[in-house]
């Protein structure tokens, strides 16, 4: 996807809100990784709660669910700034920064992440799983700044009629505009 693309899509919720609270990410499922899920089918969105949010979502570049297109340097920068700046938390799973040095442990961590993950989405999901109790607007807004991508598009099928539908994952409240809660169809 080249340039900015805006899509009209739907998000189901158990309650109405003004902005997405990142601590709820993953509360329904993580079928295709961490993020804020939308669909082109309001009926599918309705299955996730009593309220359906209709909104415009903007993406500036796409992460892959099939391959790795992000770089080790980008992942290192994200970990260094938003996941574990001290080396005492997430990176301690890969070595002890006091003995080995922060950059050596960071390199070992990223090399391992890239060795067993198959896609951008797998890598992001692993990182977000580790920081899920520390989500901040700044960490999610920084995704585009560092990776130059901020969304995922994937195809699914409606449980209602078997029709192909498009689903989206975005990462920041800034990507969701023109929000409107729509009436639920009985």
């Amino acid at each position: 996807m080249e340039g900015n693309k805006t899509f009209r899509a739907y998000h189901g919720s158990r309650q109405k809100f003004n902005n997405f609270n990142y601590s709820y990410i993953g509360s329904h499922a993580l079928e295709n990784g961490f993020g804020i899920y939308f669909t082109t089918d309001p009926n599918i969105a309705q299955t996730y709660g009593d309220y359906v949010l209709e909104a415009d979502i903007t993406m500036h570049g796409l992460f892959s669910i099939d391959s790795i297109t992000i770089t080790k340097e980008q992942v290192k920068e994200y970990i260094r700034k938003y996941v574990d700046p001290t080396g005492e938390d997430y990176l301690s799973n890969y070595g002890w920064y006091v003995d080995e040095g922060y950059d050596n442990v960071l390199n070992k961590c990223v090399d391992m992440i890239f060795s067993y993950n198959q896609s951008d989405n797998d890598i992001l999901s692993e990182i977000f799983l580790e920081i899920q109790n520390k989500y901040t607007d700044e960490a999610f807004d920084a995704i585009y700044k560092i990776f130059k991508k901020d969304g995922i598009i994937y195809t699914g099928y409606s449980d209602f009629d078997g029709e192909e539908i498009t689903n989206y994952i975005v990462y920041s409240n800034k990507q969701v505009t023109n929000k409107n809660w729509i009436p639920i169809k009985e």
Side-chain angles (χ1 to χ4, degrees), residues 73-85:
E73 291 307 313
Q74 289 170 317
V75 173
K76 287 178 195 177
E77 181 180 355
Y78 195 81
I79 290 172
R80 184 179 286 115
K81 289 183 178 179
Y82 300 101
V83 178
D84 190 358

Side-chain angles (χ1 to χ4, degrees), residues 6-186:
T6 300
F7 306 94
R8 193 70 171 164
Y10 304 90
H11 175 88
S13 176
R14 294 183 190 132
Q15 58 189 0
K16 291 182 179 180
F17 52 84
N18 291 325
N19 286 306
F20 286 92
N21 180 333
Y22 300 124
S23 66
Y24 286 105
I25 289 177
S27 61
H28 285 294
L30 297 170
E31 176 185 340
N32 284 293
F34 279 79
I36 305 165
Y37 282 67
F38 285 86
T39 180
T40 53
D41 187 338
N43 293 316
I44 297 292
Q46 184 177 340
T47 65
Y48 290 94
D50 296 331
Y51 303 99
V52 174
L53 177 67
E54 180 180 46
D56 290 335
I57 54 171
T58 302
M59 297 181 188
H60 307 89
L62 298 177
F63 290 106
S64 175
I65 60 172
D66 300 318
S67 63
I68 296 176
T69 65
I70 59 179
T71 68
K72 287 182 178 182
E73 291 307 313
Q74 289 170 317
V75 173
K76 287 178 195 177
E77 181 180 355
Y78 195 81
I79 290 172
R80 184 179 286 115
K81 289 183 178 179
Y82 300 101
V83 178
D84 190 358
T86 66
E88 296 174 357
D89 292 323
Y90 176 61
L91 291 178
S92 68
N93 295 316
Y94 298 91
W96 185 232
Y97 76 97
V98 173
D99 297 333
E100 300 175 56
Y102 181 93
D103 286 336
N104 289 333
V105 175
L106 178 61
N107 288 335
K108 187 188 314 183
C109 167
V110 172
D111 286 345
M112 288 183 76
I113 289 171
F114 273 73
S115 74
Y116 58 78
N117 285 298
Q118 304 300 313
S119 70
D120 297 343
N121 190 43
D122 293 343
I123 292 168
L124 292 174
S125 293
E126 179 172 335
I127 292 168
F128 292 142
L129 184 62
E130 290 300 322
I131 65 165
Q132 70 186 65
N133 296 324
K134 303 181 220 172
Y135 292 151
T136 64
D137 287 340
E138 183 182 25
F140 278 94
D141 291 345
I143 292 171
Y144 179 73
K145 291 176 192 169
I146 292 175
F147 295 103
K148 303 302 180 216
K149 301 172 185 196
D150 59 3
I152 292 174
I153 298 175
Y154 65 98
T155 302
Y157 294 90
S158 170
D159 293 338
F160 300 103
D161 57 15
E163 292 291 317
E164 186 174 278
I165 57 172
T166 302
N167 299 302
Y168 308 97
I169 301 173
V170 297
Y171 298 99
S172 170
N173 277 305
K174 292 178 181 175
Q175 292 176 260
V176 184
T177 59
N178 299 321
K179 297 178 275 194
N180 180 41
W181 292 99
I182 62 172
I184 300 294
K185 297 176 185 170
E186 300 283 335

